Amino acid sequence: YVDLEVRVPQGHPLRTIRLIVNEALAGLSPGFHDLYARIGRPSIPPEQLLRALLLQAFDSIRSERQLMERLDFDLLFRWFVGLGVDAPVWNHSTFSKNRDRLLAGDIAAEFLAQVLDQPRVRRLLSSEHFSVDGSLVEAWASMKSFRPKDEPGEPPTGGRNDSRDFHGERRANDSHASTTDPDARLYRKGPGQEAKLCFVGHVLMENRHGLVVDAELTRASGHAERLAAYWAEALGGPARYSEAYGDDTAVVRIHSGNGPHDEMDRRAIA
């Protein structure tokens, strides 16, 4: 018999993290009730799924398949997630489907909020040391899908992946859209760089301790920096947006047409 609790060293960093995770999951317990399946095959418990996702982020595991392989033989992973030594590991596709359902229910965002609200974490945060960093996230859509909005929706004659010569054609976000991912925008990182269909990912960081406070994905509208400054101020950061742009009427105008308005409203400055 292998006692996982005994096998994990007392000074291992995951022990402290596990205590914080346990307290956060306890606050989310009522919301987990609606995520459990009442009929059919049992689903993956949301608590264990969130723990596994944390391990995937901590160890930079590239895929769910590799995560399940690691969970199958690593006793430390089994202890952190809450699986016994002989407990079967989930299928990677089942894990992915349950993960998507979890993210769609905003449980992951609520989990992060619960972690940040704990006293031992809150004392590490400072509203004077925030920064927002943005990076382009390439969309899962080909340049061939970026077609004129008024083009008739007829199927291509050469099959689903028909070749298309768009050289010399003037294309812009006002007149064109991707048929694969309509939210993706044509954007270039800087002069001389190629234009790609992409989004902009923002990470709000607490600089003193290197803590990620929040993350957001926005359309590549060219106004991402101003939206990020507004967002940082809304979460308690420095008033750089108000000093530069005034009240929130400007950000409402900027955000118009760049995603559901309720995404901005939940970060609005009170």
Side-chain angles (χ1 to χ4, degrees), residues 123-153:
R123 69 180 181 219
L124 301 176
L125 303 178
S126 169
S127 61
E128 299 178 357
H129 299 86
F130 276 106
S131 66
V132 179
D133 188 22
S135 299
L136 291 183
V137 179
E138 192 169 349
W140 204 352
S142 69
M143 294 297 292
K144 290 188 292 186
S145 71
F146 197 62
R147 296 176 174 272
K149 295 180 180 179
D150 56 357
E151 185 179 65

Side-chain angles (χ1 to χ4, degrees), residues 8-265:
V8 179
Q10 291 297 321
H12 198 284
L14 281 180
R15 283 194 174 272
T16 302
I17 295 175
R18 196 167 189 262
L19 291 175
I20 296 175
V21 170
N22 288 342
E23 294 178 11
L25 291 177
L28 295 175
S29 182
F32 289 150
H33 179 74
D34 296 333
L35 296 178
Y36 281 100
R38 295 177 174 83
I39 58 175
R41 293 179 298 176
S43 58
I44 301 176
E47 300 91 338
Q48 294 182 343
L49 195 147
L50 281 171
R51 294 176 190 273
L53 289 176
L54 286 175
L55 292 174
Q56 185 178 16
F58 293 157
D59 282 37
S60 301
I61 300 176
R62 293 179 297 174
S63 67
E64 283 72 25
R65 186 188 295 272
Q66 292 182 350
L67 178 62
M68 294 302 103
E69 292 175 355
R70 182 75 177 272
L71 191 59
D72 192 29
F73 69 80
D74 196 320
L75 295 182
L76 180 64
F77 273 42
R78 283 181 171 268
W79 168 81
F80 187 84
V81 172
L83 290 177
V85 177
D86 298 327
V89 176
W90 313 293
N91 180 271
H92 64 90
S93 61
T94 303
F95 183 88
S96 299
K97 292 178 181 178
N98 280 265
R99 177 207 58 199
D100 293 342
R101 184 176 61 178
L102 192 74
L103 296 178
D106 292 331
I107 293 295
E110 293 177 14
F111 173 71
L112 178 60
Q114 287 284 342
V115 171
L116 295 175
D117 197 45
Q118 294 186 32
R120 70 179 75 187
V121 178
R122 181 173 289 277
R123 69 180 181 219
L124 301 176
L125 303 178
S126 169
S127 61
E128 299 178 357
H129 299 86
F130 276 106
S131 66
V132 179
D133 188 22
S135 299
L136 291 183
V137 179
E138 192 169 349
W140 204 352
S142 69
M143 294 297 292
K144 290 188 292 186
S145 71
F146 197 62
R147 296 176 174 272
K149 295 180 180 179
D150 56 357
E151 185 179 65
E154 300 177 358
T157 57
R160 295 182 58 188
N161 197 25
D162 187 22
S163 60
R164 182 167 182 262
D165 184 12
F166 50 79
H167 295 287
E169 176 185 346
R170 181 175 178 81
R171 300 187 296 173
N173 291 316
D174 293 337
S175 58
H176 290 61
S178 171
T179 57
T180 306
D181 189 348
D183 289 329
R185 307 293 290 272
L186 194 64
Y187 197 77
R188 71 174 73 245
K189 193 172 184 179
Q193 301 277 340
E194 62 176 319
K196 298 181 178 180
L197 291 172
C198 56
F199 299 88
V200 180
H202 311 279
V203 178
L204 181 63
M205 298 288 298
E206 203 285 333
N207 295 328
R208 293 188 308 170
H209 300 94
L211 299 177
V212 175
V213 178
D214 204 350
E216 180 73 2
L217 189 71
T218 64
R219 291 185 179 182
S221 61
H223 306 292
E225 291 78 8
R226 277 179 277 182
L227 288 171
Y230 175 85
W231 169 40
E233 183 176 339
L235 292 175
R240 292 182 182 143
Y241 173 84
S242 297
E243 294 170 358
Y245 304 107
D247 59 16
D248 60 354
T249 56
V251 79
V252 172
R253 186 170 59 254
I254 291 171
H255 191 82
S256 177
N258 292 302
H261 199 276
D262 56 357
E263 291 182 2
M264 189 195 73
D265 286 344

